[in-house]
Every structure is written in structure tokens, then in C-alpha cells.
Amino acid sequence: MIDELDRQVIEMLWRVNQQTLHRMQEPFQVATKTNYNDLVTSVDKQNEQEIDTFLRQVDLGCQILSEEGYGNQQITSTAGHVWIVDPIDGTLNFVKQRNHFGIMLALYIDGQPTLGYIMDSMNKQLYHGGPGRGVFVNDRQLAAPADLSLREGLVSISSPLILGNVKNLPMVAKAASGLRMYGSAAMEMIGMLKGELAGYVSHLHPWDLAAGRVMAEELGLVVKSIDGTALDVLSSNLVLIATKQVSREIAELTD
Amino acid sequence: MIDELDRQVIEMLWRVNQQTLHRMQEPFQVATKTNYNDLVTSVDKQNEQEIDTFLRQVDLGCQILSEEGYGNQQITSTAGHVWIVDPIDGTLNFVKQRNHFGIMLALYIDGQPTLGYIMDSMNKQLYHGGPGRGVFVNDRQLAAPADLSLREGLVSISSPLILGNVKNLPMVAKAASGLRMYGSAAMEMIGMLKGELAGYVSHLHPWDLAAGRVMAEELGLVVKSIDGTALDVLSSNLVLIATKQVSREIAELTD
């Protein structure tokens, strides 16, 4: 049953991505949320509505947690099937760059990471997988990234954490081979899955983290809150995704 | 004559890029230069040798300034034809990511920007153009980027400038719509040419700047040293490439 769901979701995501690329070429509406850099567009909303409608059809009785909140009931329990949806991740990039954004979706069953999907929209590459299933980009299976050290690897740390000097993270950046910022959790997660980045630290909402977590864990990467507390699927966390070595080194530097 | 040179150079760059992508899949040598993050590979050197050999054949008597210094004579004058070559820009990305790097080349005649080329290697897109010629990505002409303000635009500022709090640049990042770091002057320059970024500040060597400058100026962007002194084609500079508005705002913030 999970295999059939997986097949249908993949088909749906290609369809939604096609529409996204089409809608991006036409005028669309942009509105601000909490501040002038926190944007939502009509494309986010259209995507969310289509994904939610699809999920309710193919997975009866599921719960859905999605960024823009279309049709969300209050979710307080992770029992059963919970789908977590980011209809456009990196909306600022989507609006300002028409590039470097993604669509993310994950299924957690009884709180357990089960299926994860990240669509790299512009490159038309779909990352998908789950525990025991492997992680694929389109049809090609990804190898587990090498266990690089901080000195050997590039890291991404989101700009508010660097500019606000949060938890000594500028020192982590200095200790790394280099610092990168792509501006979209989807893009940074893909960097982690491909081994292009050895660490990623950011304050992430459930829809920023859910899909990447499923696949990162399957590839042997560490996914945890930076202060070592357990990750809550339904809450926002200051999250670290890293190789085992980088995870240990960051724990020491941010202690 | 310039048109014919231009045609030949474009052909050569596609050939060198094809070889680069091929060599990247095979084992190659990596050596450090000034420190463990300052890398050169055998692919850099092969590219440089091929580009230099080609230029000496098609442009007799030219001078060549290239990053790895293959066959460089000491260049003290910008008289005549000076070619400035970056055989792999973003070598750290090339080595660590096999992604997000470029090949850059520019022709200055009597010190005047004349032709610029940036090959986005992995995306197989060649940006090329010059004064009065327009700027193209492959065969498609680029429009001049909108004159965005700092608040409206994303900026890239290289990590040493942010982490070292140089010239108040963290404040510039905070005033912008967002901060990005791609780790390759070629990638950031492409971001500027496409209007994906509204400003880019970095310490740049001649080979990091020469090609991007030619095309950025043709598109109406400001290219200058951050302290307002004249840019020296043959020296390293702390450089700002920006929209007119962002250039003015950064001048105020870094004054």
C-alpha cells in the first residue's frame, strides 16, 4: 500500500511541478506574512490546494500539516498518517530569482519518518526515499555521503544565525572548509543528500524539515536539534543536519 | 576581427567545458596553494594550458594573465590585447561538490573591457557579451536587471567579509532582503547578470572579476571598488557589483 501511495505521489509531484513552472512565467500574486521578507504567492496556495486535495483522495483519513494552512485542522497528535507539505520552499528565491526553490512533502506514520520528497523544480530532479527504501534522484540511487569533518566539508548556516552570532555558529563557519547560503531549506537539504554540504544549521519549521529528515536519516546523516533535545515533528526547531563527524564537532563548538 | 575572435573563443570554451566535465568524472590531482582551502587541481592546469595555447594561436602577440600562472610573462602594462583567464573558478566547489563552478575569460584592449565569458559548466550555459554587443546566455539575450533597492534585493557577500565584520558589511546583509553565498565568483556574477542578486561584494583577483565586469557594465550594473577608488584590471580589489540603488545604499552603509 505504501508502494502504491509512493508511486501516486511521485506522479502528482511531477504534475504539480509542471504547473508551477508554467504559473511562474505568468503574473502571480505576492503577499507578505509576518514581515516583508516572509512571502506567500498565489502559486504556493494553488500548489498547496492541489497537493492537499490529492492526499485526501488517495489517503483517506490522513492528517495534513501544510505551510500555508489550507484546510488544516488543528493537528495535536502524530497518530496515523500525517502528511507534511511545503508547497513552495524558498518563496523568497521563487519571487526574487525565479530559481532555487523546491516543493517538499513527507509522510510520517505514528510519528515515524516514512516517505520524503523534495522536488528541485528548476532542475526537474525529484529526490525521494525513506527508511529501508534508499534515496533516489529521479531513478538513480544516491550513495551515502562520505563522513567528512568540518575542515574537509562545506557547511550552510542560515544568515540570521550567522548575523546574530547565535550559539557560536560563526566559529563553526570559520572552522569549516567554507560557508554557503542558498536561501531554501530544499536546496540546502539536497546539498546534504548529495554530499555537497557536510552540515546545515537553520531554524526550521515542520514543513522545512520533514522531507529532508526522512531521506537524510536513510543516508546515515545525523538529524537533531542543535541543543540535543528530541525533534518534535509538529514544532519548529533549531536543527542540525550533518555527517557524524561534523555533528560531533559542532556539538563541541556550540556547547 | 573581434567578431571572428569571439566566435572562435565561444567554440573553444564549449570544447574545454566538455573536457572539464569528462575529466571531473575521473580521478584528478588536488594540491593546496596558500592554505588548505586554496586549491588547484590538475583540471585547472589542463584547462589553463589549453586556453592559453589557443589564445596564443588565434591572437598573435596578446598578453595573458591567468590564475595558475601557466606561461605567464610578467604583465605590467594593459596596452594591446590582454586576456584574463580563470580556468576553473570555484575550485573548492569543484573539488567538494562537483558542482557550482565556472570557467571565465575576458579580453581587455588597451585596458578597456571588450569581451567577457562565463561558462556555467554544470548547467551548460555560456554567458558572453561586451560593450555595445549585449549579453547573452547561449543564444538568448539578457535584459538589463531591474534597479532594485537593498530592501527589495538579495545580496551575496563573501563569507570572510561577513565573518570578519569588514566595512560594516554584516549591516548591509541585514538591510537586504536576504543574504546568499554560492562560493564561486562565476556563480555570483551569473546571479548578478540574471538579476537574481542585486549586489555582490567580495575580494576579487583580476581573473575573478574581469569577465563579469565586462558583462555587468554592459547591462548597466555598477562595478567599482568598495572604497570608490578606480578598479585596476591587473590588481586584486574589494569589489562591489550592484544595481545603481544598491550601490548608493552600500556606499552610505560602509562609509
Side-chain angles (χ1 to χ4, degrees):
Chain A
M1 183 215 169
I2 293 295
D3 284 351
E4 175 59 15
L5 256 181
D6 183 42
R7 195 190 59 72
Q8 291 177 302
V9 167
I10 287 173
E11 250 183 50
M12 176 273 295
L13 285 172
W14 284 113
R15 200 164 59 236
V16 170
N17 196 53
Q18 195 61 35
Q19 291 168 1
T20 304
L21 298 177
H22 181 71
R23 287 172 181 150
M24 190 179 71
Q25 301 306 326
E26 308 193 334
F28 56 81
Q29 292 162 2
V30 182
T32 55
K33 297 195 290 185
T34 58
N35 67 65
Y36 75 96
N37 274 330
D38 187 13
L39 303 179
V40 60
T41 75
S42 50
V43 183
D44 295 72
K45 291 180 180 173
Q46 287 165 316
N47 282 0
E48 186 175 276
Q49 187 167 346
E50 278 164 33
I51 294 171
D52 287 14
T53 302
F54 167 85
L55 291 173
R56 292 193 196 285
Q57 284 170 354
V58 299
D59 194 16
L60 295 176
C62 70
Q63 300 189 87
I64 299 174
L65 177 64
S66 56
E67 181 172 13
E68 311 308 340
Y70 169 80
N72 276 2
Q73 302 106 329
Q74 189 71 25
I75 298 188
T76 53
S77 155
T78 57
H81 284 206
V82 177
W83 292 90
I84 304 178
V85 184
D86 195 340
I88 298 276
D89 177 81
T91 301
L92 200 56
N93 285 350
F94 178 78
V95 171
K96 306 280 182 188
Q97 304 193 318
R98 304 282 199 275
N99 202 355
H100 307 133
F101 61 91
I103 301 169
M104 300 201 286
L105 179 60
L107 170 63
Y108 283 61
I109 300 183
D110 295 328
Q112 295 306 304
T114 304
L115 294 171
Y117 307 86
I118 303 179
M119 175 68 80
D120 178 348
S121 294
M122 295 304 292
N123 290 316
K124 297 183 183 172
Q125 296 193 317
L126 177 63
Y127 295 79
H128 58 103
R133 310 174 74 86
V135 176
F136 295 80
V137 49
N138 296 343
D139 294 329
R140 183 171 61 80
Q141 188 162 9
L142 289 177
D147 185 19
L148 300 179
S149 69
L150 210 43
R151 188 185 158 103
E152 294 167 324
L154 302 168
V155 298
S156 173
I157 302 173
S158 68
S159 61
L161 301 176
I162 293 291
L163 295 172
N165 190 18
V166 175
K167 283 196 174 277
N168 207 24
L169 287 163
M171 198 55 71
V172 171
K174 285 181 190 173
S177 176
L179 177 62
R180 302 290 178 263
M181 295 181 187
Y182 305 142
S184 149
M187 296 297 103
E188 331 273 354
M189 288 291 191
I190 288 171
M192 290 301 309
L193 300 177
K194 293 171 82 174
E196 293 180 0
L197 298 173
Y200 171 44
V201 185
S202 185
H203 193 270
L204 297 179
H205 297 294
W207 41 85
D208 296 321
L209 175 62
R213 177 184 173 190
V214 175
M215 293 185 275
E217 287 180 346
E218 170 67 2
L219 290 175
L221 295 165
V222 176
V223 183
K224 63 179 191 181
S225 79
I226 194 131
D227 56 11
T229 57
L231 285 175
D232 177 354
V233 177
L234 301 180
S235 305
S236 300
N237 296 275
L238 184 54
V239 180
L240 165 72
I241 299 103
T243 64
K244 291 184 178 65
Q245 279 202 72
V246 167
S247 165
R248 278 194 299 270
E249 290 175 90
I250 291 183
E252 279 169 28
L253 287 165
T254 58
D255 198 18
Chain B
M1 184 216 167
I2 292 293
D3 284 350
E4 174 59 14
L5 256 180
D6 183 43
R7 196 189 58 72
Q8 291 176 303
V9 167
I10 288 173
E11 248 183 52
M12 177 275 294
L13 285 173
W14 283 112
R15 201 165 58 237
V16 170
N17 196 53
Q18 195 61 35
Q19 290 167 2
T20 302
L21 297 178
H22 182 70
R23 286 173 181 146
M24 191 180 72
Q25 301 306 325
E26 306 193 336
F28 57 80
Q29 291 162 3
V30 182
T32 55
K33 297 195 289 185
T34 57
N35 67 62
Y36 77 96
N37 274 332
D38 187 13
L39 303 179
V40 60
T41 75
S42 50
V43 182
D44 295 72
K45 291 179 180 174
Q46 287 165 316
N47 281 2
E48 186 175 275
Q49 187 167 345
E50 279 165 32
I51 295 170
D52 287 15
T53 302
F54 165 85
L55 292 174
R56 292 192 195 287
Q57 285 171 357
V58 299
D59 194 16
L60 296 176
C62 70
Q63 299 189 89
I64 299 174
L65 177 63
S66 57
E67 180 172 11
E68 311 308 340
Y70 169 81
N72 277 4
Q73 303 107 327
Q74 189 71 24
I75 298 187
T76 53
S77 157
T78 57
H81 283 205
V82 177
W83 291 90
I84 304 178
V85 184
D86 195 339
I88 299 277
D89 177 82
T91 302
L92 200 56
N93 285 351
F94 178 77
V95 172
K96 306 281 183 189
Q97 304 193 317
R98 305 283 198 276
N99 203 354
H100 307 132
F101 60 91
I103 301 169
M104 300 202 285
L105 178 60
L107 171 63
Y108 283 61
I109 300 182
D110 296 328
Q112 295 306 306
T114 304
L115 294 171
Y117 307 87
I118 302 178
M119 175 67 80
D120 178 347
S121 294
M122 295 304 292
N123 289 317
K124 298 184 182 171
Q125 296 194 315
L126 177 62
Y127 295 78
H128 58 103
R133 311 175 73 85
V135 176
F136 295 80
V137 49
N138 296 342
D139 293 330
R140 182 170 61 79
Q141 187 162 8
L142 289 177
D147 185 18
L148 299 180
S149 68
L150 209 43
R151 188 186 158 103
E152 294 168 324
L154 301 167
V155 298
S156 174
I157 303 173
S158 68
S159 60
L161 301 177
I162 293 292
L163 296 171
N165 190 17
V166 174
K167 283 194 175 276
N168 207 25
L169 287 163
M171 198 56 69
V172 171
K174 285 180 191 175
S177 176
L179 177 62
R180 303 291 179 261
M181 296 181 187
Y182 304 143
S184 150
M187 296 298 102
E188 332 272 354
M189 288 291 192
I190 288 172
M192 290 301 309
L193 300 177
K194 293 171 81 175
E196 293 181 359
L197 298 173
Y200 172 42
V201 185
S202 184
H203 193 269
L204 298 179
H205 297 294
W207 40 85
D208 296 320
L209 175 62
R213 178 186 172 188
V214 174
M215 292 184 276
E217 287 180 347
E218 170 66 3
L219 290 176
L221 295 165
V222 176
V223 183
K224 62 178 192 182
S225 79
I226 193 132
D227 55 10
T229 56
L231 284 175
D232 178 352
V233 177
L234 302 179
S235 305
S236 299
N237 296 276
L238 185 54
V239 180
L240 165 71
I241 299 104
T243 64
K244 291 182 178 66
Q245 279 203 73
V246 167
S247 166
R248 279 193 298 270
E249 290 175 272
I250 292 183
E252 279 168 28
L253 286 165
T254 58
D255 197 18

